[in-house]
Amino acid sequence: MKQIQLGTTGQLVSSVILGCMRMNGAKDPVKVIETAYENGINFFDHADIYGNGECEEIFADALAKTSLKREDLFIQTKCGIVPGIMFDFSKKHIIESVEGSLRRLNMDYVDALLLHRPDTLVEPEEVAEAFDELEKSGKVRFFGVSNQKPMQIELLKKHVRQPLIANQLQFGLKHSEMVDQGIHVNMTDTASIDHDGSVMDYSRLNDMTIQAWSPYQYGHFEGVFIGNEKFPELNQTLEKMAEKYQTTPTGLASAWILRHPANMQVIV
Ligand SMILES: NC(=O)c1ccc[n+]([C@@H]2O[C@H](COP(=O)([O-])OP(=O)(O)OC[C@H]3O[C@@H](n4cnc5c(N)ncnc54)[C@H](OP(=O)(O)O)[C@@H]3O)[C@@H](O)[C@H]2O)c1
């Protein structure tokens, strides 16, 4: 398993993250965790909202049935989305969300906390206070963001003292706008549109790790593109290359992300 330097932490972690969003659909969660770990994945991604909290609980129950030690794992969770209502980056919500995650995960601390999706009403001073309190109490080691563009990160950085180590963004062979715009600079086609404030260049300049979410999906959870007849040319190429490199189309779709020198992680 390829290891990457996580942001500015100096910590080496697996380049593949096990995403736990679908943990409530796993037939055998113990086997999922053990298989991931045996294959070199020591990084697990959660969010307070996954399965309305059920995914964190299922993970904790399953983890207790393995022989894995907490200190050998990197546990990340996210907060800030309030299902069906809004986004909430208030100090109160951030702290209560982390406490809820810790209770469900049956842990004293998480290694990283990400702000899940931008809150229009964000008050960076409140985020800073929440992060300070969570760091001081030892409940969170590192902080980061998800789905945020450079200027939103800069706004947070005006008040937040801790380095923001990661940005979780959708990225994959069928969601490649982050790199497309760099190839189409100064052209007039749609691929030249900068959708994200050049977040990939910004991440590299600021040593923020990009964590690629939903790497095998097209659109916004429309489905998996691998083996999908809607994308014959892409699948023919993937199959041809998979044969050449003795791997699977899924392996290739992951390697495509990890080949990028931005030092990314892929969340499978
Ligand atoms: N920050 C954010 O806003 C955000 C948003 C979404 C997700 N995430 C994170 O990203 C993680 C991954 O997201 P995701 O589950 O949507 O991504 P994904 O890995 O692209 O999709 C996984 C789904 O695709 C199915 N699938 C079908 N064929 C597949 C193939 N050949 N290879 C792999 N999967 C195949 C899987 O089925 P099986 O279940 O049968 O394997 C599963 O239902 C989540 O767990 C979460 O941690 C973050």
Side-chain angles (χ1 to χ4, degrees), residues 103-115:
R103 204 170 42 248
R104 290 186 294 273
L105 287 165
N106 196 21
M107 290 175 186
D108 302 329
Y109 68 96
V110 287
D111 295 283
L113 173 72
L114 308 186
L115 299 173

mmCIF file with all atom_site columns, all heavy atoms in Angstrom, residues 103-115:
data_model
loop_
_atom_site.group_PDB
_atom_site.id
_atom_site.type_symbol
_atom_site.label_atom_id
_atom_site.label_alt_id
_atom_site.label_comp_id
_atom_site.label_asym_id
_atom_site.label_entity_id
_atom_site.label_seq_id
_atom_site.pdbx_PDB_ins_code
_atom_site.Cartn_x
_atom_site.Cartn_y
_atom_site.Cartn_z
_atom_site.occupancy
_atom_site.B_iso_or_equiv
_atom_site.pdbx_formal_charge
_atom_site.auth_seq_id
_atom_site.auth_comp_id
_atom_site.auth_asym_id
_atom_site.auth_atom_id
_atom_site.pdbx_PDB_model_num
ATOM 1   N N   . ARG A 1 103 ? -19.179 9.358  20.930 1.00 0.00 ? 103 ARG A N   1
ATOM 2   C CA  . ARG A 1 103 ? -20.054 8.440  21.681 1.00 0.00 ? 103 ARG A CA  1
ATOM 3   C C   . ARG A 1 103 ? -20.386 7.235  20.802 1.00 0.00 ? 103 ARG A C   1
ATOM 4   O O   . ARG A 1 103 ? -20.265 6.087  21.220 1.00 0.00 ? 103 ARG A O   1
ATOM 5   C CB  . ARG A 1 103 ? -21.328 9.199  22.071 1.00 0.00 ? 103 ARG A CB  1
ATOM 6   C CG  . ARG A 1 103 ? -22.041 8.647  23.278 1.00 0.00 ? 103 ARG A CG  1
ATOM 7   C CD  . ARG A 1 103 ? -23.165 9.542  23.810 1.00 0.00 ? 103 ARG A CD  1
ATOM 8   N NE  . ARG A 1 103 ? -24.013 10.149 22.786 1.00 0.00 ? 103 ARG A NE  1
ATOM 9   C CZ  . ARG A 1 103 ? -24.035 11.460 22.527 1.00 0.00 ? 103 ARG A CZ  1
ATOM 10  N NH1 . ARG A 1 103 ? -23.273 12.304 23.191 1.00 0.00 ? 103 ARG A NH1 1
ATOM 11  N NH2 . ARG A 1 103 ? -24.829 11.932 21.594 1.00 0.00 ? 103 ARG A NH2 1
ATOM 12  N N   . ARG A 1 104 ? -20.770 7.477  19.553 1.00 0.00 ? 104 ARG A N   1
ATOM 13  C CA  . ARG A 1 104 ? -21.149 6.368  18.666 1.00 0.00 ? 104 ARG A CA  1
ATOM 14  C C   . ARG A 1 104 ? -19.943 5.514  18.285 1.00 0.00 ? 104 ARG A C   1
ATOM 15  O O   . ARG A 1 104 ? -20.041 4.296  18.168 1.00 0.00 ? 104 ARG A O   1
ATOM 16  C CB  . ARG A 1 104 ? -21.829 6.911  17.384 1.00 0.00 ? 104 ARG A CB  1
ATOM 17  C CG  . ARG A 1 104 ? -23.207 7.484  17.635 1.00 0.00 ? 104 ARG A CG  1
ATOM 18  C CD  . ARG A 1 104 ? -23.895 7.868  16.344 1.00 0.00 ? 104 ARG A CD  1
ATOM 19  N NE  . ARG A 1 104 ? -23.245 8.961  15.663 1.00 0.00 ? 104 ARG A NE  1
ATOM 20  C CZ  . ARG A 1 104 ? -23.492 10.249 15.885 1.00 0.00 ? 104 ARG A CZ  1
ATOM 21  N NH1 . ARG A 1 104 ? -24.390 10.607 16.779 1.00 0.00 ? 104 ARG A NH1 1
ATOM 22  N NH2 . ARG A 1 104 ? -22.854 11.181 15.217 1.00 0.00 ? 104 ARG A NH2 1
ATOM 23  N N   . LEU A 1 105 ? -18.796 6.174  18.102 1.00 0.00 ? 105 LEU A N   1
ATOM 24  C CA  . LEU A 1 105 ? -17.586 5.430  17.719 1.00 0.00 ? 105 LEU A CA  1
ATOM 25  C C   . LEU A 1 105 ? -16.963 4.729  18.926 1.00 0.00 ? 105 LEU A C   1
ATOM 26  O O   . LEU A 1 105 ? -16.051 3.903  18.772 1.00 0.00 ? 105 LEU A O   1
ATOM 27  C CB  . LEU A 1 105 ? -16.541 6.385  17.107 1.00 0.00 ? 105 LEU A CB  1
ATOM 28  C CG  . LEU A 1 105 ? -16.831 6.904  15.698 1.00 0.00 ? 105 LEU A CG  1
ATOM 29  C CD1 . LEU A 1 105 ? -15.942 8.101  15.364 1.00 0.00 ? 105 LEU A CD1 1
ATOM 30  C CD2 . LEU A 1 105 ? -16.644 5.793  14.654 1.00 0.00 ? 105 LEU A CD2 1
ATOM 31  N N   . ASN A 1 106 ? -17.433 5.090  20.131 1.00 0.00 ? 106 ASN A N   1
ATOM 32  C CA  . ASN A 1 106 ? -16.894 4.550  21.375 1.00 0.00 ? 106 ASN A CA  1
ATOM 33  C C   . ASN A 1 106 ? -15.391 4.827  21.486 1.00 0.00 ? 106 ASN A C   1
ATOM 34  O O   . ASN A 1 106 ? -14.593 3.943  21.780 1.00 0.00 ? 106 ASN A O   1
ATOM 35  C CB  . ASN A 1 106 ? -17.193 3.046  21.445 1.00 0.00 ? 106 ASN A CB  1
ATOM 36  C CG  . ASN A 1 106 ? -17.016 2.506  22.844 1.00 0.00 ? 106 ASN A CG  1
ATOM 37  O OD1 . ASN A 1 106 ? -17.055 3.270  23.819 1.00 0.00 ? 106 ASN A OD1 1
ATOM 38  N ND2 . ASN A 1 106 ? -16.774 1.201  22.961 1.00 0.00 ? 106 ASN A ND2 1
ATOM 39  N N   . MET A 1 107 ? -15.037 6.071  21.203 1.00 0.00 ? 107 MET A N   1
ATOM 40  C CA  . MET A 1 107 ? -13.626 6.484  21.224 1.00 0.00 ? 107 MET A CA  1
ATOM 41  C C   . MET A 1 107 ? -13.474 7.780  22.024 1.00 0.00 ? 107 MET A C   1
ATOM 42  O O   . MET A 1 107 ? -14.427 8.524  22.199 1.00 0.00 ? 107 MET A O   1
ATOM 43  C CB  . MET A 1 107 ? -13.129 6.739  19.789 1.00 0.00 ? 107 MET A CB  1
ATOM 44  C CG  . MET A 1 107 ? -13.005 5.472  18.977 1.00 0.00 ? 107 MET A CG  1
ATOM 45  S SD  . MET A 1 107 ? -12.569 5.791  17.273 1.00 0.00 ? 107 MET A SD  1
ATOM 46  C CE  . MET A 1 107 ? -12.691 4.104  16.638 1.00 0.00 ? 107 MET A CE  1
ATOM 47  N N   . ASP A 1 108 ? -12.223 8.035  22.500 1.00 0.00 ? 108 ASP A N   1
ATOM 48  C CA  . ASP A 1 108 ? -11.940 9.272  23.252 1.00 0.00 ? 108 ASP A CA  1
ATOM 49  C C   . ASP A 1 108 ? -11.595 10.418 22.314 1.00 0.00 ? 108 ASP A C   1
ATOM 50  O O   . ASP A 1 108 ? -11.697 11.578 22.682 1.00 0.00 ? 108 ASP A O   1
ATOM 51  C CB  . ASP A 1 108 ? -10.724 9.072  24.173 1.00 0.00 ? 108 ASP A CB  1
ATOM 52  C CG  . ASP A 1 108 ? -10.936 7.932  25.133 1.00 0.00 ? 108 ASP A CG  1
ATOM 53  O OD1 . ASP A 1 108 ? -12.100 7.709  25.494 1.00 0.00 ? 108 ASP A OD1 1
ATOM 54  O OD2 . ASP A 1 108 ? -9.947  7.261  25.501 1.00 0.00 ? 108 ASP A OD2 1
ATOM 55  N N   . TYR A 1 109 ? -11.097 10.073 21.123 1.00 0.00 ? 109 TYR A N   1
ATOM 56  C CA  . TYR A 1 109 ? -10.676 11.126 20.199 1.00 0.00 ? 109 TYR A CA  1
ATOM 57  C C   . TYR A 1 109 ? -10.828 10.651 18.762 1.00 0.00 ? 109 TYR A C   1
ATOM 58  O O   . TYR A 1 109 ? -10.844 9.448  18.496 1.00 0.00 ? 109 TYR A O   1
ATOM 59  C CB  . TYR A 1 109 ? -9.204  11.513 20.448 1.00 0.00 ? 109 TYR A CB  1
ATOM 60  C CG  . TYR A 1 109 ? -8.225  10.412 20.079 1.00 0.00 ? 109 TYR A CG  1
ATOM 61  C CD1 . TYR A 1 109 ? -7.592  10.402 18.828 1.00 0.00 ? 109 TYR A CD1 1
ATOM 62  C CD2 . TYR A 1 109 ? -7.955  9.367  20.959 1.00 0.00 ? 109 TYR A CD2 1
ATOM 63  C CE1 . TYR A 1 109 ? -6.702  9.389  18.480 1.00 0.00 ? 109 TYR A CE1 1
ATOM 64  C CE2 . TYR A 1 109 ? -7.069  8.346  20.610 1.00 0.00 ? 109 TYR A CE2 1
ATOM 65  C CZ  . TYR A 1 109 ? -6.449  8.364  19.369 1.00 0.00 ? 109 TYR A CZ  1
ATOM 66  O OH  . TYR A 1 109 ? -5.597  7.354  19.017 1.00 0.00 ? 109 TYR A OH  1
ATOM 67  N N   . VAL A 1 110 ? -10.963 11.601 17.836 1.00 0.00 ? 110 VAL A N   1
ATOM 68  C CA  . VAL A 1 110 ? -10.822 11.274 16.406 1.00 0.00 ? 110 VAL A CA  1
ATOM 69  C C   . VAL A 1 110 ? -9.518  11.912 15.933 1.00 0.00 ? 110 VAL A C   1
ATOM 70  O O   . VAL A 1 110 ? -9.073  12.925 16.472 1.00 0.00 ? 110 VAL A O   1
ATOM 71  C CB  . VAL A 1 110 ? -12.012 11.768 15.539 1.00 0.00 ? 110 VAL A CB  1
ATOM 72  C CG1 . VAL A 1 110 ? -13.242 10.923 15.767 1.00 0.00 ? 110 VAL A CG1 1
ATOM 73  C CG2 . VAL A 1 110 ? -12.306 13.245 15.749 1.00 0.00 ? 110 VAL A CG2 1
ATOM 74  N N   . ASP A 1 111 ? -8.917  11.295 14.928 1.00 0.00 ? 111 ASP A N   1
ATOM 75  C CA  . ASP A 1 111 ? -7.655  11.835 14.416 1.00 0.00 ? 111 ASP A CA  1
ATOM 76  C C   . ASP A 1 111 ? -7.885  13.090 13.590 1.00 0.00 ? 111 ASP A C   1
ATOM 77  O O   . ASP A 1 111 ? -7.061  13.995 13.605 1.00 0.00 ? 111 ASP A O   1
ATOM 78  C CB  . ASP A 1 111 ? -6.941  10.756 13.595 1.00 0.00 ? 111 ASP A CB  1
ATOM 79  C CG  . ASP A 1 111 ? -6.537  9.598  14.483 1.00 0.00 ? 111 ASP A CG  1
ATOM 80  O OD1 . ASP A 1 111 ? -5.547  9.738  15.209 1.00 0.00 ? 111 ASP A OD1 1
ATOM 81  O OD2 . ASP A 1 111 ? -7.255  8.565  14.492 1.00 0.00 ? 111 ASP A OD2 1
ATOM 82  N N   . ALA A 1 112 ? -8.993  13.117 12.836 1.00 0.00 ? 112 ALA A N   1
ATOM 83  C CA  . ALA A 1 112 ? -9.274  14.317 12.045 1.00 0.00 ? 112 ALA A CA  1
ATOM 84  C C   . ALA A 1 112 ? -10.763 14.601 12.010 1.00 0.00 ? 112 ALA A C   1
ATOM 85  O O   . ALA A 1 112 ? -11.590 13.684 12.015 1.00 0.00 ? 112 ALA A O   1
ATOM 86  C CB  . ALA A 1 112 ? -8.749  14.156 10.613 1.00 0.00 ? 112 ALA A CB  1
ATOM 87  N N   . LEU A 1 113 ? -11.060 15.896 11.980 1.00 0.00 ? 113 LEU A N   1
ATOM 88  C CA  . LEU A 1 113 ? -12.443 16.370 11.826 1.00 0.00 ? 113 LEU A CA  1
ATOM 89  C C   . LEU A 1 113 ? -12.479 17.282 10.601 1.00 0.00 ? 113 LEU A C   1
ATOM 90  O O   . LEU A 1 113 ? -11.678 18.204 10.491 1.00 0.00 ? 113 LEU A O   1
ATOM 91  C CB  . LEU A 1 113 ? -12.871 17.180 13.060 1.00 0.00 ? 113 LEU A CB  1
ATOM 92  C CG  . LEU A 1 113 ? -14.239 17.863 12.928 1.00 0.00 ? 113 LEU A CG  1
ATOM 93  C CD1 . LEU A 1 113 ? -15.368 16.840 12.995 1.00 0.00 ? 113 LEU A CD1 1
ATOM 94  C CD2 . LEU A 1 113 ? -14.427 18.928 14.006 1.00 0.00 ? 113 LEU A CD2 1
ATOM 95  N N   . LEU A 1 114 ? -13.395 16.999 9.673  1.00 0.00 ? 114 LEU A N   1
ATOM 96  C CA  . LEU A 1 114 ? -13.564 17.858 8.497  1.00 0.00 ? 114 LEU A CA  1
ATOM 97  C C   . LEU A 1 114 ? -14.924 18.547 8.561  1.00 0.00 ? 114 LEU A C   1
ATOM 98  O O   . LEU A 1 114 ? -15.911 17.944 8.988  1.00 0.00 ? 114 LEU A O   1
ATOM 99  C CB  . LEU A 1 114 ? -13.496 17.045 7.194  1.00 0.00 ? 114 LEU A CB  1
ATOM 100 C CG  . LEU A 1 114 ? -12.306 16.107 6.949  1.00 0.00 ? 114 LEU A CG  1
ATOM 101 C CD1 . LEU A 1 114 ? -12.392 15.520 5.535  1.00 0.00 ? 114 LEU A CD1 1
ATOM 102 C CD2 . LEU A 1 114 ? -10.973 16.791 7.157  1.00 0.00 ? 114 LEU A CD2 1
ATOM 103 N N   . LEU A 1 115 ? -14.965 19.791 8.105  1.00 0.00 ? 115 LEU A N   1
ATOM 104 C CA  . LEU A 1 115 ? -16.248 20.494 7.933  1.00 0.00 ? 115 LEU A CA  1
ATOM 105 C C   . LEU A 1 115 ? -16.822 20.004 6.613  1.00 0.00 ? 115 LEU A C   1
ATOM 106 O O   . LEU A 1 115 ? -16.204 20.166 5.566  1.00 0.00 ? 115 LEU A O   1
ATOM 107 C CB  . LEU A 1 115 ? -16.025 22.008 7.909  1.00 0.00 ? 115 LEU A CB  1
ATOM 108 C CG  . LEU A 1 115 ? -15.404 22.610 9.183  1.00 0.00 ? 115 LEU A CG  1
ATOM 109 C CD1 . LEU A 1 115 ? -15.072 24.082 8.966  1.00 0.00 ? 115 LEU A CD1 1
ATOM 110 C CD2 . LEU A 1 115 ? -16.328 22.444 10.385 1.00 0.00 ? 115 LEU A CD2 1
#
